[in-house]
Amino acid sequence: MLFLTHTPKLNDLDLQIFNYINENMALVPYLPIRTLAKKTHSSTASILRFCHKFECEGYGEFKVRLKLYLANTSHYAPKESHVQEYIAFLKSTQNEAFKDRLASAVELLKGKDLVLFLGAGTSEAIGGYGALYFSNLSIPALKISDPSNYPSSMFSSIFLKQTVFIVTSVSGETKEVIEYMEHLKAAHATIISICSADRSTIAQLANVNIPYQITRETVQKNFRDPEKETEITTQLPALYILEKLAQSVHSLADIPT
């Protein structure tokens, strides 16, 4: 296991730490111990105990041995295809739990004058697609490109009553989006989130969250700044959910009253 010739006895927390290290081996040698503890939802003491199980005196030695291990590895196995995950997600959309969340979101959208999309990074681009897709189905929709240019204080209470905000996020912990949502929540705005982490801050701030299960992937572009990661997680589930929402709202308009 890693640079050992045997498999040490690991508890659940050790396995959690190991899984993160195994998926981010090129990054870990540049991470301070506190950062690794934060990313693995553990503590510095847990990291040190983990290092001892890998026959290292401390975290410093562990990073050195991991670096040497990487240097002596001639090739890396490519990541497995996510096709099975895509199939599993699409199957999950037939579950009653998913249908109930979707129905709740559609109920919030019904009869509103405007849909505003909010996101950051890749999720901002998905919001742009969502705004276009909704608009193509004659549902007025726009994307907030830069929240700082559209402070929530500029929206009147009358405007907010006729508007739904759709927030897209993979992690559910994007700081600038959370801060914006907190202001919207205080103003009693209606918020729908599409977020893989159902217990995340963004999901909890929304009136309804539509969750999905998919493996999160990030890449490290600058090893000198370990806190900076670029999201490359597939957005297929978010796209599907946005299209399904728009189609469901559009179908309601076609039903005679």
Short mmCIF file of all heavy atoms in Angstrom, two decimals, residues 30 42 53 63 116 156 175 178 215 217 232 254-255:
data_model
loop_
_atom_site.label_atom_id
_atom_site.label_comp_id
_atom_site.label_asym_id
_atom_site.label_seq_id
_atom_site.Cartn_x
_atom_site.Cartn_y
_atom_site.Cartn_z
N TYR A 30 2.83 18.69 -1.08
CA TYR A 30 2.90 20.15 -0.96
C TYR A 30 1.90 20.71 0.04
O TYR A 30 1.83 21.92 0.24
CB TYR A 30 2.64 20.78 -2.34
CG TYR A 30 3.65 20.36 -3.38
CD1 TYR A 30 3.44 19.23 -4.16
CD2 TYR A 30 4.83 21.06 -3.57
CE1 TYR A 30 4.37 18.82 -5.11
CE2 TYR A 30 5.77 20.65 -4.51
CZ TYR A 30 5.53 19.54 -5.28
OH TYR A 30 6.45 19.14 -6.22
N SER A 42 -10.44 15.55 9.28
CA SER A 42 -9.84 14.89 10.43
C SER A 42 -9.10 15.94 11.27
O SER A 42 -9.44 17.11 11.24
CB SER A 42 -8.90 13.77 9.96
OG SER A 42 -7.83 14.29 9.18
N LYS A 53 1.40 4.67 11.17
CA LYS A 53 0.99 3.36 10.65
C LYS A 53 1.70 3.04 9.33
O LYS A 53 1.78 1.88 8.93
CB LYS A 53 -0.53 3.31 10.47
CG LYS A 53 -1.29 3.29 11.79
CD LYS A 53 -2.80 3.18 11.60
CE LYS A 53 -3.51 3.14 12.94
NZ LYS A 53 -4.98 2.98 12.80
N LYS A 63 5.73 12.69 3.69
CA LYS A 63 5.71 13.43 2.43
C LYS A 63 6.96 13.12 1.58
O LYS A 63 6.86 12.98 0.35
CB LYS A 63 5.60 14.93 2.68
CG LYS A 63 4.25 15.36 3.24
CD LYS A 63 4.01 16.85 3.08
CE LYS A 63 4.95 17.68 3.91
NZ LYS A 63 4.63 19.13 3.80
N LEU A 116 -33.46 33.52 -12.02
CA LEU A 116 -32.09 34.03 -12.02
C LEU A 116 -31.14 32.91 -11.61
O LEU A 116 -31.34 32.29 -10.56
CB LEU A 116 -31.95 35.22 -11.07
CG LEU A 116 -32.59 36.55 -11.51
CD1 LEU A 116 -32.38 37.61 -10.44
CD2 LEU A 116 -31.99 37.02 -12.83
N SER A 156 -36.11 44.62 -4.91
CA SER A 156 -37.23 45.00 -4.05
C SER A 156 -37.97 43.75 -3.60
O SER A 156 -37.85 42.67 -4.19
CB SER A 156 -38.19 45.91 -4.81
OG SER A 156 -38.85 45.21 -5.84
N LYS A 175 -17.63 29.99 -1.19
CA LYS A 175 -17.78 31.07 -0.22
C LYS A 175 -18.60 32.24 -0.74
O LYS A 175 -19.54 32.70 -0.08
CB LYS A 175 -16.40 31.56 0.22
CG LYS A 175 -16.45 32.62 1.31
CD LYS A 175 -15.05 33.03 1.73
CE LYS A 175 -15.10 34.13 2.80
NZ LYS A 175 -13.74 34.58 3.20
N ILE A 178 -22.26 31.41 -1.10
CA ILE A 178 -22.91 31.28 0.21
C ILE A 178 -23.24 32.66 0.79
O ILE A 178 -24.35 32.90 1.30
CB ILE A 178 -22.01 30.50 1.19
CG1 ILE A 178 -21.94 29.03 0.77
CG2 ILE A 178 -22.52 30.61 2.63
CD1 ILE A 178 -20.92 28.22 1.53
N THR A 215 -18.80 11.27 -8.62
CA THR A 215 -17.46 11.44 -8.07
C THR A 215 -16.92 12.83 -8.38
O THR A 215 -16.91 13.25 -9.53
CB THR A 215 -16.49 10.39 -8.66
OG1 THR A 215 -16.98 9.08 -8.33
CG2 THR A 215 -15.09 10.56 -8.10
N GLU A 217 -14.13 15.60 -8.97
CA GLU A 217 -12.76 15.63 -9.45
C GLU A 217 -12.26 17.07 -9.54
O GLU A 217 -12.96 17.95 -10.02
CB GLU A 217 -12.67 15.00 -10.84
CG GLU A 217 -12.87 13.50 -10.85
CD GLU A 217 -12.62 12.91 -12.21
OE1 GLU A 217 -11.46 12.57 -12.51
OE2 GLU A 217 -13.58 12.82 -13.00
N ILE A 232 -13.15 19.97 -12.12
CA ILE A 232 -13.35 19.31 -13.43
C ILE A 232 -14.41 18.21 -13.32
O ILE A 232 -14.51 17.35 -14.19
CB ILE A 232 -12.03 18.73 -13.97
CG1 ILE A 232 -11.44 17.70 -13.00
CG2 ILE A 232 -11.02 19.81 -14.30
CD1 ILE A 232 -10.32 16.88 -13.61
N ASP A 254 -48.73 24.50 -20.89
CA ASP A 254 -49.50 23.93 -21.99
C ASP A 254 -50.80 23.29 -21.53
O ASP A 254 -51.63 22.90 -22.34
CB ASP A 254 -48.67 22.89 -22.74
CG ASP A 254 -47.46 23.52 -23.41
OD1 ASP A 254 -47.53 24.71 -23.70
OD2 ASP A 254 -46.45 22.80 -23.62
N ILE A 255 -50.94 23.15 -20.20
CA ILE A 255 -52.15 22.51 -19.66
C ILE A 255 -53.25 23.55 -19.54
O ILE A 255 -53.09 24.57 -18.84
CB ILE A 255 -51.88 21.88 -18.29
CG1 ILE A 255 -50.78 20.80 -18.42
CG2 ILE A 255 -53.14 21.28 -17.71
CD1 ILE A 255 -50.36 20.20 -17.09
#
